[in-house]
Amino acid sequence: MTSILDDYAAVAGEDVIHHLQQLTENLRGRRVVHVNSTREGGGVAEILNKMVPLMEALGIETHWEIITGEEEFYQCTKSFHNALQGNPIDIPGHLLEKFEETNRARAEELRPLLGDADIVLIHDPQPAPLLRYMPNRKGKWIWRCHIDLSHPYRPVWKYLREFVEGYDASIFSLSDFAQTLQHPLYLISPSIDPLSEKNVDLSIDEVQRVCEEFGLDTGRPLVTQISRFDRFKDPIGVITAYRLARRFKPDLQLVLAGGGASDDPEGAAVLEEVKTAAENDPNIHILMLPADAHRIINALQRASDVVIQKSVKEGFGLTVTEGLWKGKPVIGGNTGGIRLQVVNHHTGFLVNSPEGAALRLRYLLENPDKMTDMGRKAREFVRENFLLTRQLRGYLTAMVALIHGLGERIVTA
Ligand code: UDP
């Protein structure tokens, strides 16, 4: 084994790595390309940054390309994101034209690589039309949808489905998100990388230093939400929950830490709303972090007593897995992929309102033994279900099935 595979074996188990190697045998000499819309910020980039090197370590030729565009392209794709997660938004024709034109131009640039690749994994709607502009492609194309598609705004999904229908397969994170399509559907949940800066063990000193840097008192209780400033993440609801819980725990501190993803034009406006709601409370720490602040986020999660992810819509919620992996109970919005991870009363609590979040927060802070017990279960739950190695096993299974003609209608890999 190469050393990176040894490292994964030490955390995930040797049998897990052997299984990946066996699957890889069926992909010898094949070339795989991932395409998404950003190299940093957000869950998809987070996963690809780790999955691509792991695939290479297994001996699979793997490339990662992105599609970028002008402001109107991002306005359009952000509207897709909002509409596919349920907001009734009619997207103006000129934005759709920009979207298609950007994909057509990028397809020209990527033609030598994508046309010849054996497997192309297209992540989310932004690059979905690339397939349409690749008439003589050689390989199998998979559309990997990371977002909550359970109740899309129909006119927008109808438009996008036209692009997606030509694919050889789709992958969704949960069965709730799967849409009717005339090709094999795979259900594969996302994952975290246990070896990344975001998730490796840290010394107590390092955690302490980060707390000092941001003015946090490690002697007082702390609850943290790490998220892009996005309304679906409900940062205002988190502030409401914190205020309610603070009536019973007056020394409680709240961290809302986020940053901008380069494909998210709404972040600045939401950040302003959050600052207004915080009313200069010195115990609410709103942190704008650079995209590479992985160790800082790791330390903030470790310094927390409870991690919160009060999203009202969530494709999966990597921040939930990250919190669980650090042995923290997570209070999560009762939505999307959070439901897969927060096993109510075992790894945390699912909540439907700021009041519910406040109630659970207070309960946990008043029951430290329960908090420790839940945290222990949380970490093991992630080891079994949500490490990168398990997600890659799902992808490789789908690739092998498609290349060797074993595609079924719905497969849970
Ligand atoms: N993240 C980060 N910096 C930030 C905010 C988030 O590095 O300021 C990371 C976070 O730790 C997680 C990912 O970005 O790994 C967010 O993924 P998630 O699935 O929670 O949400 P998404 O942004 O994809 O909706």
Side-chain angles (χ1 to χ4, degrees):
M1 271 192 217
T2 65
S3 68
I4 156 167
L5 296 183
D6 280 333
D7 294 343
Y8 280 104
V11 187
E14 295 228 341
D15 52 330
V16 171
I17 302 303
H18 286 148
H19 193 174
L20 292 179
Q21 288 172 318
Q22 279 170 359
L23 282 166
T24 303
E25 282 304 310
N26 298 296
L27 295 169
R28 281 270 157 259
R30 309 285 187 162
R31 181 192 296 165
V32 179
V33 186
H34 292 273
V35 186
N36 79 320
S37 64
T38 176
R39 288 196 188 274
E40 54 187 29
V44 179
E46 185 83 13
I47 293 170
L48 288 177
N49 267 304
K50 301 300 166 182
M51 182 168 281
V52 170
L54 177 56
M55 290 176 74
E56 280 170 345
L58 285 162
I60 303 168
E61 183 186 337
T62 311
H63 301 254
W64 175 12
E65 296 292 339
I66 59 170
I67 181 165
T68 56
E70 293 167 5
E71 198 187 331
E72 285 191 327
F73 173 74
Y74 294 116
Q75 274 174 18
C76 184
T77 58
K78 184 68 190 182
S79 302
F80 282 150
H81 189 83
N82 292 339
L84 293 176
Q85 299 211 128
N87 289 357
I89 298 170
D90 291 306
I91 304 176
H94 71 278
L95 292 187
L96 297 175
E97 275 164 32
K98 189 73 181 175
F99 170 66
E100 292 178 27
E101 173 52 27
T102 306
N103 269 275
R104 198 196 54 70
R106 188 69 180 126
E108 285 305 317
E109 291 163 2
L110 292 176
R111 188 177 305 287
L113 182 66
L114 296 187
D116 262 0
D118 297 286
I119 292 279
V120 178
L121 268 149
I122 297 289
H123 296 264
D124 284 339
Q126 297 93 330
L130 286 176
L131 175 66
R132 176 163 296 180
Y133 306 114
M134 207 63 66
N136 299 317
R137 48 114 178 190
K138 169 183 144 207
K140 302 287 184 190
W141 283 52
I142 304 173
W143 187 57
R144 199 311 177 212
C145 177
H146 294 266
I147 55 190
D148 179 344
L149 212 56
S150 51
H151 299 98
Y153 178 55
R154 284 284 151 194
V156 170
W157 170 238
K158 201 167 156 230
Y159 167 80
L160 269 171
R161 195 178 54 199
E162 299 276 311
F163 295 105
V164 169
E165 262 167 353
Y167 281 71
D168 299 294
S170 295
I171 300 176
F172 295 92
S173 294
L174 315 187
S175 59
D176 283 358
F177 302 172
Q179 291 289 322
T180 311
L181 290 161
Q182 298 306 313
H183 55 224
L185 307 183
Y186 290 84
L187 304 179
I188 301 173
S189 50
S191 61
I192 57 163
D193 178 23
L195 304 182
S196 70
E197 298 271 282
K198 179 78 57 65
N199 296 307
V200 284
D201 286 344
L202 298 181
S203 68
I204 294 174
D205 284 354
E206 183 167 352
V207 174
Q208 178 77 38
R209 266 201 313 278
V210 169
C211 288
E212 278 165 20
E213 185 185 337
F214 292 107
L216 299 168
D217 181 345
T218 49
R220 289 166 47 197
L222 173 64
V223 56
T224 296
Q225 173 158 303
I226 309 281
S227 274
R228 290 179 295 106
F229 289 97
D230 179 317
R231 293 191 184 92
F232 286 126
K233 312 284 185 182
D234 197 16
I236 307 284
V238 175
I239 292 178
T240 308
Y242 151 85
R243 288 223 169 92
L244 291 170
R246 208 160 192 268
R247 290 190 198 155
F248 302 94
K249 277 274 163 197
D251 56 348
L252 182 59
Q253 308 166 94
L254 169 65
V255 164
L256 286 169
S262 59
D263 61 348
D264 180 2
E266 278 175 13
V270 178
L271 175 62
E272 281 315 306
E273 290 167 19
V274 170
K275 284 184 177 160
T276 305
E279 294 172 348
N280 292 323
D281 179 339
N283 292 303
I284 301 180
H285 301 261
I286 299 167
L287 312 180
M288 275 304 281
L289 300 174
D292 60 353
H294 303 301
R295 281 185 97 89
I296 291 176
I297 289 173
N298 186 343
L300 291 171
Q301 288 164 332
R302 287 178 194 281
S304 304
D305 296 277
V306 176
V307 165
I308 187 164
Q309 188 58 55
K310 221 209 85 37
S311 307
V312 287
K313 282 277 178 184
E314 190 61 79
F316 183 70
L318 285 178
T319 52
V320 174
T321 337
E322 289 161 8
L324 297 171
W325 181 242
K326 278 128 201 163
K328 307 296 169 181
V330 175
I331 296 177
N334 187 8
T335 184
I338 297 178
R339 291 195 193 123
L340 278 187
Q341 306 180 66
V342 174
V343 182
N344 213 4
H345 297 267
H346 290 278
T347 62
F349 290 106
L350 289 170
V351 297
N352 296 297
S353 63
E355 291 75 16
L359 188 77
R360 298 311 190 183
L361 186 53
R362 179 183 167 197
Y363 169 81
L364 285 169
L365 294 174
E366 286 178 352
N367 292 280
D369 289 351
K370 191 72 191 167
M371 214 151 56
T372 310
D373 180 48
M374 276 188 164
R376 194 181 39 75
K377 286 185 189 149
R379 184 168 167 100
E380 284 318 302
F381 192 65
V382 172
R383 197 193 306 280
E384 286 291 314
N385 297 291
F386 298 119
L387 294 185
L388 182 70
T389 38
R390 195 270 314 134
Q391 187 182 358
L392 182 55
R393 185 186 71 198
Y395 283 2
L396 297 183
T397 305
M399 291 177 198
V400 171
L402 284 173
I403 285 181
H404 298 282
L406 309 171
E408 303 196 12
R409 283 291 298 127
I410 297 192
V411 185
T412 305

